[in-house]
Amino acid sequence: MTKQRYTLQRGIFVNVMLLILILIFAVISMNSGKMNLSPLEVLSVLMGNGTDKHNLIVFDFRLPRIVLSILVGLGMGAAGVVMQSLLRNDMASPGTLGISSGSGLFVLLFVVFIASTGKSSFIALPLLAFAGGLLAAGLIFILSYRRGRDISPIGLILTGVALGSGYGALTNFLTIKLDDSQMNFMLHWLAGSLWGADWRYISILAPWVLILFGYIFYKARMLNTLHLGNQTAQGLGLAVKRQFLLLSIAAVALSSGSVAVGGSFFFVGLIAPHIARKLVGPDHKLLVPAAGLTGSFVVVLADAITRMVSLGGDVPTGIVITVISMPYFLYLLAKAN
């Protein structure tokens, strides 16, 4: 009983500390950049007493980017937890399952065939990215399915890698049709540039992420049961196939919507659950929020670094995330071996 209470207290403490760290680096990021603002000037803006110039900097440029960073990290972290738990494989993520390639292909289709006509709306890209991710996930499950057998986690990942290669080939073929501006957009999207730092996109992404995150958190107890294995879950009376399907769709929708307006941040979906699991343990009631907040912290931290440190140009946040996360990922691989 003491151990359980200690684990709960530790998990709550970790989640609160992650939230505080996110807020601290959000404030640092808001005060940093080519046009520095003091903390008092930022506070004045937030209190409604800022100058027109300061209001423009905070509300039109910096605050949308910070909010987008938090939402993207929250979505990718939670999606990564679901995929790793359902497949019982620590290497599972939207990227390793090929869902990233499917979303990326549909983003490219949007750029080539819809945005170029000038008739696109700001809601079209998130929906297409979700459709691409859902199609990729559906093909993976269909090709991995064997009648009368449980779906093999290793088979799913190998199928995802194979399909991802096919999506990559189609993507390379379509890039021939891109002009300079379209190619520049795709390169920044692939590098994780937080390109959709606009209140219009955030108004679509915020309810999308928060509702799906809330659903996954609500299903935390079922994730705990599913993580024990299909036979054990069935023995406990859980409708395994139905819950597996619903949670898979939620994870695909969460990751696809997040990257549609943020860029390719699929590495966050791989590394954030690992870090969170080390901090709070395997209980999904604590792990889901911890992974989401860890993802948000990683993205906000990386974006703050791009503002505070001169890196020789406008370096996409996704590249900084890879650089700061890679040592820990290599540590995990070395420890696993």
Side-chain angles (χ1 to χ4, degrees):
M1 192 70 176
T2 303
K3 183 177 180 181
Q4 183 179 1
R5 188 162 58 245
Y6 169 75
T7 302
L8 178 62
Q9 291 173 347
R10 175 186 172 87
I12 294 173
F13 174 77
V14 168
N15 279 292
V16 171
M17 289 304 299
L18 285 170
L19 183 60
I20 292 173
L21 286 172
I22 290 169
L23 293 176
I24 289 173
F25 278 94
V27 172
I28 292 173
S29 181
M30 204 178 298
N31 293 333
S32 306
K34 294 180 180 178
M35 299 184 68
N36 291 328
L37 298 179
S38 68
L40 289 178
E41 288 173 332
V42 172
L43 181 61
S44 179
V45 170
L46 296 178
M47 295 292 290
N49 299 320
T51 65
D52 291 341
K53 179 181 178 181
H54 291 166
N55 287 336
L56 179 68
I57 293 172
V58 172
F59 288 120
D60 289 359
F61 294 107
R62 294 186 181 170
L63 192 57
R65 190 177 178 96
I66 292 169
V67 173
L68 180 61
S69 300
I70 294 172
L71 291 173
V72 168
L74 190 71
M76 293 308 302
V81 164
V82 172
M83 292 181 181
Q84 290 178 11
S85 297
L86 292 181
L87 301 181
R88 299 184 298 282
N89 190 312
D90 290 344
M91 294 302 295
S93 73
T96 55
L97 288 174
I99 296 169
S100 61
S101 301
S103 295
L105 176 61
F106 271 59
V107 168
L108 181 58
L109 290 173
F110 170 85
V111 172
V112 174
F113 296 109
I114 299 178
S116 60
T117 65
K119 299 180 181 180
S120 60
S121 68
F122 63 92
I123 195 175
L125 182 55
L127 291 178
L128 277 174
F130 168 57
L134 192 61
L135 177 62
L139 286 174
I140 292 168
F141 286 115
I142 290 172
L143 293 174
S144 302
Y145 177 76
R146 298 292 182 272
R147 180 181 288 273
R149 299 186 194 174
D150 290 336
I151 295 176
S152 168
I154 296 177
L156 281 173
I157 292 178
L158 292 176
T159 303
V161 171
L163 287 175
S165 299
Y167 296 140
L170 284 174
T171 300
N172 290 334
F173 173 76
L174 287 173
T175 53
I176 300 174
K177 297 179 175 290
L178 299 181
D179 57 29
D180 291 342
S181 62
Q182 292 172 333
M183 178 65 78
N184 183 61
F185 172 81
M186 281 305 302
L187 289 175
H188 277 74
W189 184 89
L190 289 169
S193 64
L194 290 171
W195 72 273
D198 185 289
W199 290 117
R200 295 180 306 163
Y201 292 106
I202 292 172
S203 68
I204 296 296
L205 182 62
W208 183 286
V209 168
L210 295 177
I211 290 172
L212 289 170
F213 180 86
Y215 173 78
I216 290 172
F217 180 71
Y218 174 73
K219 294 288 186 178
R221 182 173 297 179
M222 291 187 179
L223 280 169
N224 284 336
T225 306
L226 287 169
H227 192 62
L228 298 174
N230 292 346
Q231 291 183 345
T232 303
Q234 286 175 346
L236 293 173
L238 189 67
V240 172
K241 291 184 178 179
R242 182 173 180 270
Q243 296 301 328
F244 189 98
L245 179 62
L246 291 175
L247 285 165
S248 297
I249 292 174
V252 171
L254 197 53
S255 61
S256 299
S258 297
V259 301
V261 296
S264 185
F265 283 94
F266 287 97
F267 193 71
V268 177
L270 177 63
I271 201 71
H274 283 277
I275 298 173
R277 201 173 286 111
K278 292 285 186 183
L279 294 173
V280 302
D283 185 353
H284 287 80
K285 288 180 288 186
L286 298 171
L287 180 58
V288 169
L293 291 173
T294 300
S296 294
F297 172 67
V298 169
V299 180
V300 170
L301 172 63
D303 189 52
I305 290 174
T306 63
R307 293 178 185 276
M308 293 185 295
V309 182
S310 177
L311 299 173
D314 186 14
V315 178
T317 305
I319 294 177
V320 179
I321 289 175
T322 303
V323 171
I324 63 178
S325 301
M326 188 58 69
Y328 183 74
F329 185 63
L330 292 175
Y331 161 76
L332 289 176
L333 289 176
K335 190 174 181 180
N337 295 327

